[in-house]
Amino acid sequence: MSEMPEELFSLPASFGQKRLWLLEQAQSGAALYTMRAALRMRGPVDAGALERALGEVVARHEVLRSVLRLDGNDIAQVVLAPRPVPLPVVEVAGGPDAAAAVADELSRVPFDLAAGPLLRCTLLRIGQDDHVLLALVHHSVCDGLSLGVLLRELTALYEPCLHGAGHALAELPLQYADYAVWLREQVASGALEGQAQYWGERLAGVRELRLPADLPHPATRTWKAVSAPVKVAAPVVRQLRMTAPGGGVTASMVALAAYAVVLGRWSGQQDVVVGMPIAGRPEVDLEPLVGFFVNTLPVRVDLSGDPSFSEVLGQVRDRCVEAYSNGDLPFELMVERAHADRRAGRLPLAQTLLNVQQSVPLGLAEIAGVELEPFPLPEGALHFDAIADLVEDRDAVTGRVSLSADLFTERTAQLAASSLPAVLRAASAAPGTPVSALPCPVADARPAAVAAAPEPVSEPVSASVSTSARGSVEAYVGGALPETPGEHLLVQLWREVLEVGQVGVHDEFYALGGNSMRAVRIVMAARDRGLELPLDRMLGQHTIRELMTEAGAPAVAAA
């Protein structure tokens, strides 16, 4: 057994790291939040030099040798001392397809956030001078831009490590932990209060997006995806950008308007929220860092009154500009301000994501005698119902739509993917066309599936008797007072953790001021008193009576 590395220091985790830690506890055993990158290396590769280069990268970026642990009532990021980083070499017979299958298998192995490491690299040898370098990193310490930093530094350090020479990489101006501390100070000082107010008002009353599923909701999800390609020609997007009233429309705004229309038509809902990832690196000093910087902006689109596509596009432009100018507030705090509906195992506010990236070169360093190119990987775990991953290149938009294979068939993924270009082509020819009249294959071709859409497993729970933390015991009616030792214990813990005067067993946790970290505190405190509570259920909306009924816990001391 290898010796545990020395712990250098510990700091509170960032808001994003806390969210992912919580989600991991709720979905234990599934590798849902693994960032993946693969690089094909054709030519003679020295595995030892590549391993040393990897060690140099990990030594440079503290976050790549960090772990996340529960520290009292908070989550801490613990930075460990540098040490050699292994790069196992795996012989793969069967060429690139077999290498992709091995990479997929390796990416399904979950990370241990408390023990680490949170970066695993493997060199897959598919030929004498043909390798695939696979990098797997937990999302809590890495995002999409960080993968590019990782690969660029690895290739830049390879030849210096091969020849024993010094490297020219500049010293990093900051570390990820510095950013996390700065953001916490911004929130604590009230500097982001205006943004918090904006999101609270903009997202008030948001309801969950419910797409009509093809398949019954499974008791246990596999998190696999079905996908289909999307391709929209540049003239279509350019025409819509040029004719948009008021101007100032980008290709990503055009894509968002179309995606919102498709979701609205498909779900039958007129109020649609789409999560839009942004880089979350407001300062130039953050650009060369590895870390979890990305933030999610929940953009709300109003489709009521059957507006024209042109009107939707103008609305999307305005909402995006507002969102970008209020994009420093962590998503976790947007959820709290919006008092969003919570359901165990689902992200509040946005159940779907639209990611539009610019097509830019990866910027890898050249390695003499070795040809480098990105290596495509199979679809990874999907923790949303639907995601559109698109790339914009001079107004041409390509990519794919991915749906949860637990809920949708491959045919539905094809219909959803074809709906985006269908909406955009029709709208570019006639921007004044009402949303209801635009072609949308996923809605138009599936009336039977829509009619047979299963009801949600359970409605989000709301406070049933009193949503005020200042209500008196006399305000509660029959059944609201605790009846079992377990209920008595939870009433006591809720009062302590939520800092409220009275709690009834039908009061909803988040309506009383609860949040995810307070839910963890209650789970930990209950465990200390001999009561095991399901964390995944605690993270969804719930009352004490519901929690104890589902837990089926034996009586505990209620002292």
Side-chain angles (χ1 to χ4, degrees):
M1 181 178 295
S2 61
E3 183 180 346
M4 288 295 293
E6 176 190 359
E7 297 180 9
L8 296 183
F9 59 88
S10 175
L11 290 170
S14 69
F15 293 98
Q17 287 178 323
K18 286 185 180 181
R19 170 162 55 94
L20 288 181
W21 185 91
L22 289 163
L23 290 170
E24 282 285 8
Q25 310 314 304
Q27 304 294 343
S28 58
L32 298 186
Y33 302 99
T34 299
M35 303 297 295
R36 312 178 307 160
L39 190 64
R40 190 163 185 181
M41 309 178 74
R42 288 190 174 100
V45 171
D46 187 306
L50 198 56
E51 184 177 72
R52 292 190 293 274
L54 178 61
E56 290 277 352
V57 173
V58 173
R60 278 171 56 81
H61 297 275
E62 292 174 353
V63 72
L64 290 177
R65 44 189 168 88
S66 297
V67 293
L68 297 179
R69 295 175 183 163
L70 188 62
D71 182 15
N73 295 325
D74 207 349
I75 311 301
Q77 51 177 323
V78 181
V79 178
L80 308 177
R83 63 174 181 170
V85 179
L87 179 65
V89 179
V90 176
E91 300 284 346
V92 178
D97 289 344
V102 171
D104 183 56
E105 182 180 352
L106 292 173
S107 68
R108 296 185 185 278
V109 178
F111 287 94
D112 185 334
L113 296 187
L118 302 186
L119 164 68
R120 298 194 300 259
C121 290
T122 306
L123 191 62
L124 306 177
R125 178 178 288 145
I126 56 180
Q128 180 64 34
D129 289 325
D130 195 355
H131 298 79
V132 173
L133 175 64
L134 174 67
L136 304 173
V137 199
H138 193 271
H139 199 5
S140 62
V141 298
C142 183
D143 55 21
L145 290 180
S146 298
L147 287 175
V149 173
L150 175 64
L151 293 179
R152 285 193 294 273
E153 292 196 354
L154 265 176
T155 54
L157 290 170
Y158 173 78
E159 289 204 341
C161 288
L162 178 64
H163 302 296
H167 64 78
L169 292 181
E171 183 178 349
L172 295 175
L174 297 168
Q175 292 288 340
Y176 179 75
D178 298 319
Y179 159 81
V181 170
W182 170 81
L183 186 55
R184 289 174 69 94
E185 291 174 347
Q186 289 286 100
V187 172
S189 70
L192 301 181
E193 180 58 27
Q195 296 191 24
Q197 291 180 1
Y198 165 81
W199 289 109
E201 295 169 1
R202 173 59 69 197
L203 299 172
V206 164
R207 304 300 295 175
E208 181 178 316
L209 177 69
R210 293 175 181 165
L211 299 174
D214 303 316
L215 308 171
H217 288 248
T220 302
R221 300 189 68 165
T222 66
W223 309 106
K224 294 181 179 180
V226 287
S227 300
V230 171
K231 185 175 182 179
V232 184
V236 172
V237 176
R238 194 171 298 130
Q239 174 70 14
L240 287 166
R241 291 185 60 199
M242 291 172 56
T243 59
V249 169
T250 65
S252 63
M253 294 175 186
V254 172
L256 175 55
Y259 193 49
V261 167
V262 171
L263 294 172
R265 289 282 306 279
W266 184 9
S267 67
Q269 296 173 228
Q270 298 179 338
D271 185 11
V272 174
V273 177
V274 178
M276 292 278 287
I278 59 169
R281 302 181 189 228
E283 303 294 335
V284 66
D285 283 348
L286 300 177
E287 293 179 2
L289 302 187
V290 171
F292 182 29
F293 295 95
V294 68
N295 199 17
T296 300
L297 304 183
V299 181
R300 189 175 188 177
V301 183
D302 181 6
L303 302 174
S304 62
D306 200 15
S308 68
F309 186 85
S310 181
E311 291 171 329
V312 173
L313 185 55
Q315 179 193 157
V316 163
R317 175 199 56 217
D318 295 343
R319 297 283 170 87
C320 284
V321 170
E322 291 175 3
Y324 298 151
S325 63
N326 291 280
D328 297 325
L329 189 75
F331 177 80
E332 296 70 31
L333 299 185
M334 298 179 196
V335 172
E336 291 186 14
R337 278 304 181 99
H339 302 292
D341 289 339
R342 297 174 186 254
R343 190 188 297 276
R346 291 177 66 82
L347 188 68
L349 291 180
Q351 288 75 51
T352 185
L353 206 67
L354 172 67
N355 186 24
V356 183
Q357 297 179 326
Q358 298 293 317
S359 176
V360 294
L362 193 53
L364 301 175
E366 292 186 2
I367 297 178
V370 179
E371 180 183 347
L372 304 175
E373 62 181 19
F375 183 78
L377 294 173
E379 190 82 43
L382 185 69
H383 47 279
F384 288 82
D385 289 350
I387 290 182
D389 273 310
L390 306 177
V391 175
E392 185 267 324
D393 183 7
R394 291 170 293 184
D395 287 333
V397 174
T398 57
R400 63 187 177 188
V401 168
S402 300
L403 306 180
S404 168
D406 295 318
L407 302 175
F408 303 101
T409 64
E410 186 173 348
R411 171 60 177 161
T412 299
Q414 294 168 350
L415 291 171
S418 66
S419 295
L420 281 171
V423 165
L424 289 174
R425 284 194 297 266
S428 67
T433 304
V435 165
S436 63
L438 292 170
C440 183
V442 75
D444 299 338
R446 303 178 67 252
V450 172
E455 291 296 320
V457 174
S458 62
E459 283 288 334
V461 182
S462 60
S464 59
V465 177
S466 171
T467 58
S468 168
R470 291 178 287 276
S472 64
V473 173
E474 289 77 10
Y476 299 113
V477 294
L481 294 175
E483 297 176 352
T484 66
E487 289 184 352
H488 277 282
L489 173 60
L490 287 187
V491 165
Q492 177 184 336
L493 293 179
W494 284 29
R495 290 175 61 184
E496 294 172 358
V497 172
L498 300 178
E499 299 179 349
V500 298
Q502 301 294 342
V503 173
V505 297
H506 292 313
D507 277 336
E508 201 281 313
F509 180 73
Y510 292 94
L512 287 180
N515 58 36
S516 298
M517 284 311 303
R518 288 175 173 172
V520 172
R521 288 173 59 188
I522 288 175
V523 169
M524 297 299 109
R527 182 174 297 166
D528 290 341
R529 304 286 287 276
L531 175 61
E532 285 289 338
L533 297 174
L535 179 56
D536 59 341
R537 188 66 181 93
M538 282 293 296
L539 295 177
Q541 289 183 246
H542 59 273
T543 68
I544 289 174
R545 177 64 49 81
E546 291 170 331
L547 195 63
M548 293 305 300
T549 299
E550 293 184 18
V556 296

